[in-house]
Amino acid sequence: MRSSFVFLICSVLASQPGFAANTVYRCEVLSDAYIKSSGELELVKDSPRVGQEFAVIKKTGEVIGDVMDTLKNPKVIASGSKTNSYKVIWVQKSAGQNGAFVDYLSIDEFGNGSKKPFGFFSGGLLMTGICEQ
């Protein structure tokens, strides 16, 4: 159901006037992990995030899909190219004094083929997968 929703949103956006063919990434989560207190990376077994899909509007960095739908006010810091990754950050103030939450998405646009690897980092969480334009 979710993949149908993301596909529908991507289809609508891509068909709108002014949207070029390469304006939306369609992504799928392939692994989910977190950093343990020992500093080691631990894969999350039977993660509900694995297999979920989301879309990224390339120009704005806006994400559509349940995996990262709580993130607001994205800032595209690199548009991506044949030699550089597409990069988006989200910065939100924390409840504590002088604190902040920073989330980061990197899509290796320069990767070979149509499938581009991505990494999403949120605190100690790391999700990886594949995106297509």
Side-chain angles (χ1 to χ4, degrees), residues 49-109:
R49 291 186 275 263
V50 172
Q52 285 192 2
E53 296 180 348
F54 61 95
V56 180
I57 300 172
K58 189 172 179 180
K59 183 175 182 177
T60 65
E62 186 177 0
V63 174
I64 301 166
D66 291 341
V67 177
M68 295 178 270
D69 65 353
T70 60
L71 298 175
K72 305 293 182 220
N73 304 316
K75 181 176 181 182
V76 176
I77 57 173
S79 298
S81 67
K82 294 193 184 298
T83 59
N84 194 8
S85 298
Y86 172 82
K87 299 173 183 114
V88 180
I89 61 169
W90 294 264
V91 179
Q92 300 173 46
K93 291 184 180 184
S94 70
Q97 197 173 39
N98 297 323
F101 295 108
V102 178
D103 299 298
Y104 170 70
L105 173 66
S106 177
I107 301 173
D108 291 346
E109 192 165 294

Side-chain angles (χ1 to χ4, degrees), residues 4-5 10 19 28 31-32 46 49 55 57 62-63 67 73 86 104 127 131:
S4 297
F5 174 73
C10 290
F19 275 86
E28 180 181 3
S31 68
D32 184 9
D46 301 321
R49 291 186 275 263
I57 300 172
E62 186 177 0
V63 174
V67 177
N73 304 316
Y86 172 82
Y104 170 70
M127 289 188 300
C131 296

